[in-house]
Amino acid sequence: MTKLAIVGAGAIGQLIASQLSSTFDVHFITRRTNFNSLWQVETASQQRQQYSAPVITAADDLQQFELVIVCVKAYQVVDAVLPLLDKLNPHCHILLLHNGMGPHLALMAHIGERGLSLGTTSQGALLTSPQRVTHTGLGLTQLGHLHGKPLNSSLKQQLLAAIPQSQWHPDIINALWQKLAINAAINPLTALEQCKNGQLAASTYKQHIDQIVTELHQVVTRDNIVLDKAALLTRIYDVIQLTANNYSSMYQDIAHQRRTEIDYINGYIVTRAQQHHLDVPFNFALVTQIKKLEKKPANRNN
Ligand code: PAF
């Protein structure tokens, strides 16, 4: 069996590890001290299955791995991956699977010719205790090549066969921007308005959502990425409807006084805009407002 390491034993790390565990020899690399080698996945229909995988640290032998999948939050990626680079086999491929965009730019400066792929998943996963994850919903997982030596085709086929509803995308940056547009529109507005995703279908928010997407569209166009603005808006409203009853991840991060991923969502739009000397005032204001909320003590009920 091919040896594979998952960096991060959070909700997505545990879920992906369970999906890969019958095809690969999965190990966890985690700094979490409250995670041991056993975990449980519960489906939406409350069926439970137990899994186990060795837990190692960056100090252990990492030469054995052919693939490392990084499932930590966007703001943890660089710190989690940099200490591993010298210890990994030079042929080991790295796949980043997180919300938002940005860490790939910082990593590419250190990665040399090592193969790097990126991905995004819309599978729902909720950690209900340190070693138990609930698979709250199926959803598309898109993976694709970014840099260096491409992932070998047999590994790629094994990954796609093991992760439900997964596909290889020929232009992963384009796919990631589409996902980022959804998060940029839904996440900060629900966190600021303290509402469920569905409330954003109200006409009051139409102008805000339009402004977020218009600014994003100006930025991607300068990055030579072709996206259709009307199609982005349709997709955003589809997701608002499909997830109407959910609280977004940013709403929950704010409610639980956790750091949000704003720097890698609307903040990434701002960073790319600065590169092109463009103004994106609405996205900039959202970043500022969310950062203020991150600093406030919680006064919410969720
Ligand atoms: O971050 C989230 O919460 C989700 O990606 C999404 C699609 C906005 C639904 O809540």
Side-chain angles (χ1 to χ4, degrees), residues 81-109:
V81 176
L82 284 187
L84 309 181
L85 287 179
D86 282 349
K87 298 176 180 165
L88 289 169
N89 185 309
H91 304 295
C92 175
H93 197 91
I94 296 176
L95 165 64
L96 305 183
L97 193 62
H98 57 77
N99 263 343
M101 293 175 79
H104 65 284
L105 296 179
L107 271 188
M108 271 174 22

Side-chain angles (χ1 to χ4, degrees), residues 80-294:
V81 176
L82 284 187
L84 309 181
L85 287 179
D86 282 349
K87 298 176 180 165
L88 289 169
N89 185 309
H91 304 295
C92 175
H93 197 91
I94 296 176
L95 165 64
L96 305 183
L97 193 62
H98 57 77
N99 263 343
M101 293 175 79
H104 65 284
L105 296 179
L107 271 188
M108 271 174 22
H110 300 274
I111 214 162
E113 271 315 295
R114 192 187 288 285
L116 178 67
S117 295
L118 304 180
T120 174
T121 185
S122 299
Q123 296 197 79
L126 187 70
L127 215 54
T128 49
S129 73
Q131 323 249 142
R132 183 183 293 172
V133 64
T134 302
H135 191 189
T136 50
L138 280 170
L140 189 64
T141 298
Q142 292 176 304
L143 311 172
H145 178 70
L146 181 72
H147 170 87
K149 197 171 166 213
L151 184 64
N152 83 51
S153 64
S154 106
L155 265 180
K156 190 195 287 183
Q157 293 318 322
Q158 286 178 303
L159 265 188
L160 296 179
I163 303 175
Q165 292 185 27
S166 60
Q167 55 180 230
W168 200 259
H169 200 290
D171 184 355
I172 193 64
I173 291 289
N174 188 302
L176 292 180
W177 269 111
Q178 292 185 42
K179 176 74 177 8
L180 189 130
I182 295 169
N183 290 124
I186 298 178
N187 295 19
L189 292 178
T190 50
L192 292 167
E193 295 292 312
Q194 300 187 37
C195 67
K196 288 185 175 175
N197 295 354
Q199 195 171 315
L200 300 183
S203 56
T204 346
Y205 301 107
K206 188 179 173 308
Q207 219 189 331
H208 295 343
I209 294 178
D210 214 61
Q211 185 72 20
I212 293 166
V213 175
T214 301
E215 292 180 0
L216 176 146
H217 193 257
Q218 286 164 354
V219 169
V220 294
T221 304
R222 294 290 282 276
D223 263 349
N224 294 321
I225 286 155
V226 180
L227 288 176
D228 182 64
K229 197 183 138 194
L232 286 179
L233 284 167
T234 305
R235 203 164 155 204
I236 289 165
Y237 281 103
D238 284 350
V239 174
I240 287 175
Q241 209 156 30
L242 283 168
T243 63
N245 226 8
N246 294 4
Y247 288 106
S248 78
S249 54
M250 198 171 289
Y251 171 101
Q252 295 184 48
D253 286 339
I254 291 290
H256 293 107
Q257 290 180 281
R258 294 187 296 241
R259 182 173 172 185
T260 72
E261 296 175 299
I262 193 75
D263 285 333
Y264 299 87
I265 301 177
N266 307 77
Y268 189 64
I269 301 174
V270 173
T271 310
R272 295 309 305 156
Q274 284 164 348
Q275 285 282 315
H276 298 299
H277 308 290
L278 282 174
D279 266 346
V280 286
F282 199 78
N283 282 283
F284 185 82
L286 289 172
V287 174
T288 312
Q289 289 171 57
I290 291 292
K291 282 183 175 291
K292 266 193 202 143
L293 272 190
E294 276 178 340

